[in-house]
Amino acid sequence: MEIVSETKSFGGVQGVYAHPSKSTGTPMRFSVFRPPQAEKGPAPVLYYLSGLTCSEDNFTTKAGAQRYAAEHGIVVVAPDTSPRGLDLPGEHESWDFGSGAGFYVDATEPPWADHYRMYSYVTEELPEIIESSFPVDSTRMGIFGHSMGGHGALTAALRLPDRYRSVSAFAPIVAPTRCPWGEKAFSGYLGADRERWKEHDACELVRKSGFAAPILIDQGEADGFLEEQLKPQLFQEACDEVGTKLQLRMQPGYDHSYYFIASFMGDHFAHHAKILREA
């Protein structure tokens, strides 16, 4: 693992790191904030998954998370959103597929299957690196994200509830099998079998097993993607069917940007901190 940068922040250290990935077969970068409490021993860890077009840098520099991570004593990890440097055919042709748009699935279709394995990277390889290199308590792990990353956070938590104790999301894609972003990504990465797509659809997954802890979602009412792509009411309906506690907060006037995310970041840290303290 290579240290790209380390900077003092809110009494802790904000770092960016690089390593050769076994999952993607490419170099990958991620950021880690270590709060001052981590100097005394292992701390809870929270993974953040970013949205379309983003890298690890967007969350690290725009979300204002360091202040709240230091307040609650939580290590925060933010990976990139796709492999980089491959130049596969068509990889850079559109902003919502390919580079910067891995959708946190393990692709099964060529030419993506050998490298676009972001589910394995985020849920297996990266946690192994974090647990061996940083002072984290892996029994107190949470996950959250934005848009495509909100989809990734919800599906990871619902598929691996024994690993992720807490989950939240900002403007997540909750039903990728029923929106244009998801249909484009899943048909390209996973092929034409729509039954396979359901394994990465939060609405389908929560109906199967629910989730033990309450889930928090913030959604801006002025989000231009709300009606066509995000559809949070579908996840509310699915949670209600199985008795999973969901706090869906519709925020008047807020859009899809990091201004929206930063406005409610403190509430999300408080949500995770309460559940992880009790874990």
Side-chain angles (χ1 to χ4, degrees):
M1 186 180 71
E2 172 193 355
I3 299 174
V4 177
S5 65
E6 289 188 330
T7 306
K8 187 84 170 180
S9 178
F10 289 95
V13 177
Q14 176 62 65
V16 177
Y17 308 91
H19 72 108
S21 169
K22 295 178 293 184
S23 299
T24 68
T26 66
M28 293 293 290
R29 286 165 61 115
F30 59 90
S31 77
V32 178
F33 176 75
R34 306 194 305 273
Q37 297 89 331
E39 295 181 3
K40 300 178 182 179
V45 58
L46 185 57
Y47 288 80
Y48 178 89
L49 306 184
S50 291
L52 291 164
T53 76
C54 291
S55 70
E56 80 289 338
D57 185 60
N58 300 75
F59 169 80
T60 305
T61 60
K62 295 180 179 180
Q66 293 86 353
R67 168 187 173 186
Y68 303 109
E71 176 184 338
H72 293 287
I74 297 175
V75 173
V76 185
V77 181
D80 203 346
T81 57
S82 77
R84 303 287 178 173
L86 292 166
D87 293 326
L88 298 173
E91 186 178 23
H92 312 304
E93 290 182 359
S94 57
W95 63 274
D96 55 358
F97 183 81
S99 181
F103 258 85
Y104 305 103
V105 300
D106 285 349
T108 58
E109 302 300 301
W112 316 102
D114 290 340
H115 301 286
Y116 273 68
R117 299 181 52 78
M118 291 303 295
Y119 180 77
S120 291
Y121 178 73
V122 165
T123 64
E124 297 176 11
E125 183 177 4
L126 184 58
E128 290 177 2
I129 293 170
I130 297 301
E131 290 162 21
S132 64
S133 304
F134 297 94
V136 300
D137 179 355
S138 60
T139 67
R140 293 184 293 163
M141 181 187 301
I143 191 166
F144 66 151
H146 170 232
S147 194
M148 177 185 73
H151 140 75
L154 290 170
T155 56
L158 292 168
R159 293 180 68 170
L160 300 168
D162 293 337
R163 183 178 306 175
Y164 299 104
R165 302 299 184 93
S166 60
V167 62
S168 72
F170 300 92
I173 304 169
V174 300
T177 62
R178 288 180 279 174
C179 75
W181 278 342
E183 290 176 343
K184 179 177 181 177
F186 285 7
S187 61
Y189 296 138
L190 303 177
D193 184 358
R194 297 181 73 96
E195 286 300 309
R196 187 187 300 170
W197 297 8
K198 293 180 180 180
E199 299 173 9
H200 297 279
D201 184 302
C203 290
E204 299 289 341
L205 291 169
V206 78
R207 284 190 173 95
K208 289 184 177 180
S209 60
F211 195 72
I215 299 171
L216 172 62
I217 290 177
D218 275 306
Q219 172 64 62
E221 290 186 350
D223 189 325
F225 303 114
L226 176 58
E227 297 300 326
E228 183 179 24
Q229 305 283 9
L230 305 177
K231 306 179 181 181
Q233 72 281 0
L234 297 179
F235 192 63
Q236 180 73 75
E237 293 168 3
C239 287
D240 290 346
E241 287 179 20
V242 295
T244 292
K245 294 181 180 178
L246 170 65
Q247 186 179 16
L248 172 59
R249 307 193 307 184
M250 302 300 296
Q251 303 291 0
Y254 284 91
D255 60 13
H256 201 69
S257 71
Y258 266 87
Y259 295 111
F260 156 63
I261 295 169
S263 297
F264 301 102
M265 184 59 63
D267 291 349
H268 283 248
F269 268 90
H271 167 83
H272 288 276
K274 181 179 185 298
I275 295 170
L276 296 178
R277 276 197 303 268
E278 297 170 353

